[in-house]
Amino acid sequence: MPTYAYACKDCGHAFDIVQSFSDSSLTSCPECQGALRKKFNSVGVVFKGSGFYRTDSRDAKGSTVSPAPAAPAAAPAAAPAASAPAAAAS
């Protein structure tokens, strides 16, 4: 069951309470009977699996960026292998 944080708008009293998802929100302060507001906190996120850790993208030398391979400027494109006649396959 989740823990919710509340704070009183009138007296400033802040507290946490464990409530079910189906329970309705609290509306009155237990100390002064003033109006309550629900506080929202940041959520902790845990990524599991490969690709989420800082060391996953590094090589053995510790470099973070690998150089891009240089492409030849005047190299013609290779012809596809599927251009052979289909009659030879029979």
Side-chain angles (χ1 to χ4, degrees):
M1 291 201 327
T3 302
Y4 294 100
Y6 288 93
C8 180
K9 293 180 183 179
D10 298 334
C11 70
H13 174 67
F15 62 97
D16 295 339
I17 187 166
V18 177
Q19 290 180 302
S20 174
F21 288 111
S22 60
D23 292 345
S24 59
S25 296
L26 300 179
T27 56
S28 62
C29 178
E31 291 191 358
C32 72
Q33 306 309 318
L36 285 179
R37 65 180 174 89
K38 191 181 282 189
K39 295 170 50 177
F40 295 98
N41 297 324
S42 61
V43 178
V45 178
V46 177
F47 295 104
K48 294 185 178 183
S50 63
F52 294 110
Y53 296 97
R54 184 176 178 176
T55 57
D56 285 349
S57 62
R58 295 183 178 192
D59 62 359
K61 293 184 282 184
S63 174
T64 58
V65 178
S66 60
S83 64
S90 334

